[in-house]
Amino acid sequence: MQPMLTIAVRAARKAGHVIARGFSELDRVTVNNKADNDFVTNIDKEAETAIIETIRQSYPDHSFIGEEGGQQNGKNQDYIWVIDPLDGTTNFARGLPHFAVSIALRVKGRTEVGVVYDPIRDELFSAVRGSGAQLNGYRIRVGSKKDFNETLLATGFPFKQKHQFETYSKTFEAFFRVGGDVRRAGAAALDLAYLAAGRFDLFWEMGLKPWDIAAGDLIIREAGGVVCDFAGGHEYLHSGNIIAANPKLLAQGLKIIHPLLPAELKK
């Protein structure tokens, strides 16, 4: 999988160049609403095009699922690239320098390669299944906290699923009471990458999409962490409900969150 990681990194950096250039000329960026509080810019689309074109130069038969371009089936549907060209579009459009490119390769339903790239800080988080996780070429590991004392937690508000806010607010209160502090930075892919690097101790969010999760999921697992849905299962790519931490902290987190959930989220 190393050659495919090389291509993923190349694609992420090309998209990052598009994004960084756009960020330096925000007055030229066009912003449109896909839905309430869900934005897309011309830079999202240009970055996704750069990613797909770069990958297709080496793997013309592969398939793609992208936030902007939807599903594009190639001749080989065993290899699917899952792409978020600009995770944190709202931050980008408002001039907040916290966003990232997220690229994952899934082979026959299993994620084999993951890359999350922050073009502003030039931080590239990467992983190949079975080979560990890295930040700019250096090995990273999840944090070692054994309980919630003095932890730094990360989350995202369910702004696309506001009907879930009552449930979410219960989980927020519970974690806020036991943890040291909570951050909501606005880019799930970076939150997951930061957890893999030990910057955050636990992350949870509701209603995410596969392109938000796929790369960061692998990077966390290769950094020694655990990722699951709110029931402790592995349906988070489908449900969008995700919680991640080191194994000991995750087990405690599930005990906190599970009693607060409605029946449909406990399954």
Side-chain angles (χ1 to χ4, degrees):
M1 288 296 158
Q2 287 296 331
M4 293 185 181
L5 173 63
T6 299
I7 298 304
V9 169
R10 184 181 304 166
R13 290 194 179 278
K14 285 190 176 182
H17 178 73
V18 170
I19 293 165
R21 186 179 66 241
F23 194 65
S24 69
E25 302 174 340
L26 281 178
D27 57 324
R28 299 186 181 184
V29 172
T30 59
V31 182
N32 296 300
N33 279 16
K34 293 190 290 185
D36 288 345
N37 298 312
D38 191 6
F39 303 101
V40 61
T41 72
N42 58 309
I43 300 300
D44 293 72
K45 296 175 181 179
E46 290 176 23
E48 185 165 290
T49 297
I51 292 167
I52 292 174
E53 287 181 350
T54 300
I55 294 171
R56 278 184 171 157
Q57 288 174 2
S58 298
Y59 304 109
D61 294 341
H62 287 191
S63 300
F64 298 86
I65 297 175
E67 180 173 12
E68 309 311 331
Q71 186 161 345
Q72 302 179 37
N73 291 328
K75 292 181 181 179
N76 190 339
Q77 296 183 36
D78 287 339
Y79 288 75
I80 300 176
W81 295 84
V82 185
I83 301 164
D84 191 341
L86 177 48
D87 183 52
T89 297
T90 299
N91 285 352
F92 171 85
R94 297 299 296 268
L96 296 173
H98 190 79
F99 39 79
V101 181
S102 179
I103 302 173
L105 172 63
R106 289 175 60 79
V107 181
K108 296 182 179 180
R110 185 165 62 182
T111 305
E112 298 285 349
V113 173
V115 171
V116 174
Y117 179 52
D118 176 349
I120 301 302
R121 299 174 181 85
D122 193 27
E123 290 191 328
L124 191 139
F125 303 83
S126 64
V128 172
R129 190 177 67 85
S131 298
Q134 296 185 336
L135 165 56
N136 290 348
Y138 292 92
R139 186 73 177 265
I140 54 175
R141 297 289 294 177
V142 295
S144 58
K145 291 283 187 180
K146 296 180 180 179
D147 57 51
F148 279 90
N149 185 42
E150 298 182 354
T151 50
L152 183 59
L153 315 181
T155 188
F157 303 137
F159 66 95
K160 296 180 185 178
Q161 297 186 358
K162 291 189 175 181
H163 63 284
Q164 296 279 21
F165 185 75
E166 182 177 354
T167 297
Y168 171 79
S169 64
K170 292 177 182 177
T171 68
F172 184 94
E173 180 180 2
F175 280 133
F176 184 73
R177 288 184 180 278
V178 299
D181 204 348
V182 182
R183 297 288 182 268
R184 193 278 192 238
L190 274 180
D191 288 337
L192 295 170
Y194 281 14
L195 191 145
R199 296 174 181 177
F200 293 140
D201 297 301
L202 180 143
F203 172 78
W204 87 103
E205 190 166 347
M206 303 173 68
L208 291 173
K209 298 296 184 181
W211 46 79
D212 298 315
I213 299 171
D217 165 36
L218 178 66
I219 295 169
I220 288 173
R221 289 188 285 112
E222 288 298 319
V226 181
V227 184
C228 64
D229 57 31
F230 292 167
H234 301 286
E235 296 301 314
Y236 46 89
L237 285 176
H238 302 289
S239 70
N241 302 325
I242 182 173
I243 181 170
N246 70 50
K248 290 186 177 180
L249 204 60
L250 184 75
Q252 295 176 52
L254 285 172
K255 290 180 180 179
I256 290 170
I257 200 172
H258 197 260
L260 305 174
L261 301 174
E264 64 269 17
L265 295 183
K266 293 182 177 180
K267 297 177 182 178

